[in-house]
Amino acid sequence: MKVVCLGGGPAGLFFAALLKRADPAHHISVLERNRPDDTFGFGVVFSDATEEALAKADPLITEAMGRHAHRWDDIEIHYKGETLVSTGHGFSGLSRRTLLALLHERCREAGVRLCFGRDVRDPEEFRDADLVVAADGAHSVVRERYREHFRPQVDERPNRFVWLGTTRPFPAFTFYFKADAHGLWRVHAYQYEPGASTFIVEATDPTFRSAGLDPADEPATIAFCEQLFAAELAGHRLVSNRSIWRRFPTIRNEVWHHRNVVLVGDAAHTAHFSVGSGTKLAMEDAIALVAALGEHRAVPDALAAYEAARRPLVESLQRAAQVSLQWFEDTERYMELEPIQFAFALLTRSLRVTHQNLKLRDPAFVARVDEWFANRAREAADPDRPSAGTPTAAPLRPGEPAPAPPTSSITRTSGATGTAAAAEAPLPMFTPFRLRGLVLANRVVVSPMCQYSAEDGMPNDWHLVHLGSRAVGGAGMVYAEMTDVSAEARISPWCTGLWNGEQAQAWRRIVDFVHTNSAAKIAMQLGHAGRKASTMRMWEGDNQPLPSGGWPVVSASPLPYFPHSPVPREVTTAEMRTIVADYVRATKLAEEAGFDLLELHMAHGYLLASFLSPLTNRRTDSFGGPLENRLRFPLEVFDAVRAAWPATKPMSVRISAVDWYPDGHGPADAVEVARAFHAHGCDVMDVSAGQTVADQRPVYGRLFQTPFADRIRHEVGMATMAVGNISSYTDVNTILAAGRADLCLLARAHLWDPYWTRHAAYELGRPLPWPGQYATLDRYRPRFT
Ligand SMILES: Cc1cc2nc3c(=O)[nH]c(=O)nc-3n(C[C@H](O)[C@H](O)[C@H](O)COP(=O)(O)OP(=O)(O)OC[C@H]3O[C@@H](n4cnc5c(N)ncnc54)[C@H](O)[C@@H]3O)c2cc1C
Ligand SMILES: Cc1cc2nc3c(=O)[nH]c(=O)nc-3n(C[C@H](O)[C@H](O)[C@H](O)COP(=O)(O)O)c2cc1C
């Protein structure tokens, strides 16, 4: 087979060397526009896990890499005068120049033809080749030549960064967060060979511009950075190598192969440098492509198999890289965190490292985080402390001065220095949380879930068992399902309601059961389905209009949910008065029933949500138009309910932070919505997303809505609840300890396992006490296999 590899970076060279070794009969050329010892950049990072994977494909190259690499275990975080150290991370740095030289050697040994100084302008010149491998990096000419087939998307990120080098040998992977008059500068630095380190400087675009670096040539960049980081460089100089300020391009391609042409490495996909995985991905692509060519006789089949094997892994890493790069874009938001929480948030930013696996790497560090978190939670939950819904373990409110940091201190928690007391601190999820007069025993909450099992709005034995078993299951609080303020407000004829005393008494039975038989609190979620009323049960046709027996529906504007849904009537101001009165009546009934917290459902496209979103609110009166107007009716309802609900009891509001639809709400709008409710006395935001319009385009994934709760919590300075694809206890502990939310709501995980919290407590070695009826379980060891 005649194989042409365009680009002699890690992807192209490793691929060529592996394929030639696998089948020496192939004629393989690597065409590289640079000379052999030209290379941009300085060092690259590999984790221990990556090295193991590479070693399986080519033990000699990994041995050689190991001989030249600089290894470290620690991550040092320099933040507000403190240096926090976490250990156990297992990384190596290697000079890119050395890596390429080693790969050149492997290619030559195998018999690959290396052509340097060969700048390819048009890959069509290789039409006679059996296989063309586009390993020509982020600015791939091959990808551009066939862009209508590959359909690339290049998302150029807003932050500016420059890749520099220095002679300062950093002892650990080092992060600096340093503010000057222009803003906050982030540095990612690591040693890759004796006396040589990579030093990447990153800032927001406004900070970069304010510093007068646009434009800045290499000498100006060096002069600026050497002055700014004089203390950090400790007398060492910075060096440049085509070090120009850039924006990181996240590259994705809808298709990775076309005819006999295939994309590998950065040409196919990029992952932000903060996850240190670009070279790893490039080399893993090479391994997968060689394997696919070995397994399939026809090149197009092999290319399809390669893409099928690699795409899920690459996309998963790109998701991690995306949250990581966003953390660095938003670092200003976290600058009010206390150092230990800041460090934990940084280390767990990509969702790859969690409370649990960080604990395996560095138990003393996590023990210190837990102890800090538990102390803050205990203080905030103290009933003698005057408090009304301020987040525990929370950032300071915007504008509030941070406590003065020590001028310089090194906090090394690794090794055997963790204290016995720290090891015994409760895990974040098992710390108390206070909102007004309500104290929850732990931070796990059963999210509201409609059961479509009521008649005439009356909750019954199903609801008693459903909520009762989850309360006994150990959650700190259980939410009743969306319960409607009038018969017409129901999603379906089978939804629960609170519009009469009989319903309040039926709810009272459930509330009393929860209070008598568990430590859980119980919340009521009040709603009005708006244009999504009069529909079928979820499992019979989600949001589908009732085939018969339906009723007229109302909404902010006369827009049907599906094209075939009934057109809602635009709510009149007179009807608004009635709806407010319905909410107030339901609130009084909820108090009569003994609920501990009241939530207003303003998410998922229901009536109040339909006022908030510009997609569903097209009104031309004072309730439509700008956000201030769209908030008017939801706030009126909130104010009336707040006035009717006891001052000692907290209230929450559930919103759809984003609509997942063009011109709909985005994360910044959610901040403004939350700010408005907070100003009106909302104690905690329940941050959900979507379901506003039927053709939404959500981006699902693990913890996919948590970033919205995180942003509201920090930008508004209020307590938040995270919900959406949270299912593991380590994710709950991570969200809480990093300060991304104050409570975690789990819905489907609780359907699957009503005893989710008990199971978590047991697995984590801190079992919860069983009720007397089940006390025999104190000596029982469950076994499932
Ligand atoms: C600031 C920064 C820091 C990084 N840090 C790390 C890190 O720590 N760890 C890590 O793993 N990765 C890191 N990366 C990413 C890493 O450099 C890339 O992901 C990796 O090099 C991709 O390998 P590749 O072979 O696909 O592309 P490249 O390494 O870009 O190689 C492409 C090659 O193709 C050549 N070429 C391009 N066009 C043509 C043409 N028309 N004709 C001939 N030749 C051509 C180029 O000269 C180049 O040699 C970092 C990237 C940046 C920007
Ligand atoms: C069966 C079911 C019923 C639901 N009913 C409600 C509801 O009544 N009110 C509400 O706000 N969300 C409702 N939701 C959404 C959940 O509260 C939660 O936000 C969503 O399922 C995402 O969480 P999860 O990934 O933990 O399941 C429901 C979800 C499910 C699965």
Side-chain angles (χ1 to χ4, degrees), residues 447-450 481-482 525 538 601 604 654 688 723-726 745-748 751:
S447 198
M449 282 180 280
C450 284
E481 67 194 73
M482 169 165 148
Q525 185 189 54
M538 188 188 259
H601 197 335
H604 304 169
R654 176 169 273 207
S688 185
V723 64
N725 247 344
I726 304 173
L745 272 59
L746 285 71
R748 288 163 300 166
L751 288 186

Side-chain angles (χ1 to χ4, degrees), residues 57-235:
D58 186 351
L60 288 184
I61 191 78
T62 32
E63 253 173 50
M65 284 164 64
R67 280 197 299 279
H68 293 86
H70 178 83
R71 233 197 96 77
W72 68 87
D73 271 332
D74 290 357
I75 296 181
E76 258 186 38
I77 300 157
H78 297 253
Y79 173 78
K80 293 192 174 171
E82 274 204 48
T83 304
L84 294 107
V85 186
S86 170
T87 198
H89 297 281
F91 280 102
S92 306
L94 180 67
S95 147
R96 178 174 157 106
R97 196 184 293 258
T98 305
L99 173 66
L100 295 186
L102 293 172
L103 290 168
H104 293 160
E105 212 175 293
R106 294 296 284 150
C107 283
R108 285 195 195 97
E109 281 164 13
V112 172
R113 198 166 70 94
L114 296 177
C115 313
F116 294 101
R118 175 79 155 80
D119 193 356
V120 177
R121 297 291 163 87
D122 186 353
E124 281 291 302
E125 64 175 286
F126 305 108
R127 287 210 78 152
D128 64 325
D130 299 296
L131 173 65
V132 176
V133 179
D136 51 347
H139 304 286
S140 168
V141 291
V142 183
R143 186 185 66 222
E144 291 311 306
R145 180 69 176 76
Y146 306 118
R147 62 177 294 123
E148 75 277 18
H149 300 287
F150 295 125
R151 297 192 292 281
Q153 294 155 15
V154 181
D155 175 14
E156 194 153 85
R157 303 305 306 180
N159 268 11
R160 304 291 193 134
F161 74 94
V162 62
W163 199 351
L164 297 162
T166 173
T167 50
R168 176 164 177 200
F170 290 98
F173 193 107
T174 304
F175 290 108
Y176 292 109
F177 296 90
K178 183 162 194 177
D180 73 352
H182 306 292
L184 180 71
W185 302 87
R186 306 92 164 121
V187 170
H188 316 236
Y190 54 88
Q191 196 182 158
Y192 58 85
E193 63 185 28
S197 298
T198 294
F199 195 87
I200 302 170
V201 182
E202 184 185 3
T204 62
D205 190 53
T207 299
F208 165 79
R209 286 176 187 280
S210 160
L213 290 166
D214 189 23
D217 57 14
E218 288 182 293
T221 296
I222 295 268
F224 176 84
C225 293
E226 281 186 347
Q227 194 184 13
L228 178 61
F229 297 109
E232 290 74 12
L233 291 167

Side-chain angles (χ1 to χ4, degrees), residues 6-13 31-34 38 40 43-46 96 100 118-121 134-141 161-163 173 190 198 200 242 246 248 264-267 269-273 275-283:
L6 296 183
L13 292 169
L31 311 184
E32 166 58 48
R33 67 175 165 208
N34 290 335
D38 278 345
F40 69 86
V44 292
V45 186
F46 293 99
R96 178 174 157 106
L100 295 186
R118 175 79 155 80
D119 193 356
V120 177
R121 297 291 163 87
D136 51 347
H139 304 286
S140 168
V141 291
F161 74 94
V162 62
W163 199 351
F173 193 107
Y190 54 88
T198 294
I200 302 170
R242 283 196 248 165
R246 291 186 284 159
F248 188 84
V264 294
D266 275 11
H269 46 69
T270 57
H272 192 247
F273 55 83
V275 293
S277 295
T279 307
K280 156 200 152 81
L281 287 180
M283 294 177 77

Side-chain angles (χ1 to χ4, degrees), residues 87 90 107 140 157 180 250 302 324 344 361 419 483 500 517 529 570 572 578 647 658-659 676 688 736 738 777:
T87 198
C107 283
S140 168
R157 303 305 306 180
D180 73 352
T250 297
S324 178
F344 183 83
R361 295 177 190 197
T419 62
T483 296
N500 62 41
N517 295 292
E570 179 172 296
T572 64
T578 310
V658 299
D659 289 328
S688 185
L736 297 169
L777 295 180

